[in-house]
Every structure is written in C-alpha cells, then in structure tokens.
Amino acid sequence: MTLPDIAAALRDLHVSIGQQQDLTKVVIQDAENARAEFRALTTGATNPLVNRALGNYAQGIVKLRDGSWLLAEAGDILAEYARAIGIDMPPRQPTEGKRKVEPTYDEQSDIGPRQPGTQRLPQAEEPAPRDPSAG
C-alpha cells in the first residue's frame, strides 16, 4: 500500500466515524423525545415499573451519549495519527467533555432506589405478581 492509499483509507474511516457520530446524535434525540413522551403519558402513575422504565430510558441515553463521545475521541485519535505520519486530515467539530456516567438529577428521579447487583424482570413464562394498585 502506498501513502496515498493509506491517506484515502484513513480519510474514509474518519468520514465514516463522523457519520456514525451524527447518526448517534439523532438516535439520542429520538430517545430523549420518546422518554419525554412516555413521561408525559405516565404522569401520576404509581406503578413502580413506570419509574423503572423511565430510569432505563435515562440510563440508555447516558450510554448513547458516552458512545457518541467515544466516537468523537476515535475520530480525533485517527486524525492525530494521520497527522503524525504526514497525512493532512480536516478537523472534526470540537468534542465536548465526556458526559458523566451518573444520570442527572432529573434522570435520577425516574430511577428510584436501586439495590446493588442486577434486577431482573419476571420471565414471560413465570407469572408476574399482580400489583393491586396498578389498575
């Protein structure tokens, strides 16, 4: 492979990373919109599964944001590598600081108290206990 071939491959990869980051931003916005709609539809619900679902939305959004940040970092590292070997790469939009993994206050309000370890929902073949307040 020649240096121009490597440069073309690195540029293509850099563009692909940028496209994936842009797609991730759209997915994050869609998830935030779906969460807000679900939250509006379930306002006043007392079923703990509603809060768990909202908390899961929040945690998923946090993970998507972290993934978007990692994509941006990968693009930056790729561009830095390309420059180090003498290939000029166009700069990508500046990356924001990494989003903290902990949910925001608003997201925490949906999660409720958590026990250490994983929590499992009942399997489909196991009958779920009926909550009399669920209606």
Side-chain angles (χ1 to χ4, degrees):
M1 249 185 153
T2 65
L3 189 59
D5 292 337
I6 294 170
L10 288 175
R11 285 186 184 109
D12 287 346
L13 183 57
H14 194 252
V15 167
S16 179
I17 289 171
Q19 289 170 340
Q20 290 301 311
Q21 186 183 16
D22 292 341
L23 180 60
T24 303
K25 289 177 183 178
V26 170
V27 170
I28 290 168
Q29 187 60 52
D30 288 347
E32 288 173 340
N33 292 343
R35 178 177 173 264
E37 182 178 354
F38 183 72
R39 185 177 212 169
L41 290 172
T42 58
T43 298
T46 58
N47 189 319
L49 292 177
V50 170
N51 282 338
R52 183 182 294 179
L54 285 166
N56 288 340
Y57 263 121
Q59 288 177 344
I61 291 167
V62 167
K63 289 177 182 182
L64 285 167
R65 288 178 184 148
D66 287 344
S68 179
W69 181 83
L70 288 171
L71 281 168
E73 284 292 298
D76 291 347
I77 291 168
L78 182 68
E80 184 179 325
Y81 170 74
R83 283 189 293 274
I85 62 172
I87 299 169
D88 187 33
M89 295 283 272
R92 182 86 173 132
Q93 62 195 19
T95 59
E96 298 172 7
K98 184 174 180 181
R99 180 165 178 344
K100 60 185 185 296
V101 176
E102 292 299 316
T104 63
Y105 174 77
D106 181 50
E107 292 165 347
Q108 286 176 349
S109 67
D110 294 335
I111 296 171
R114 290 278 191 214
Q115 298 297 322
T118 59
Q119 294 183 2
R120 227 183 70 169
L121 291 175
Q123 295 294 324
E125 60 272 358
E126 298 175 16
R130 174 119 170 88
D131 183 1
S133 65

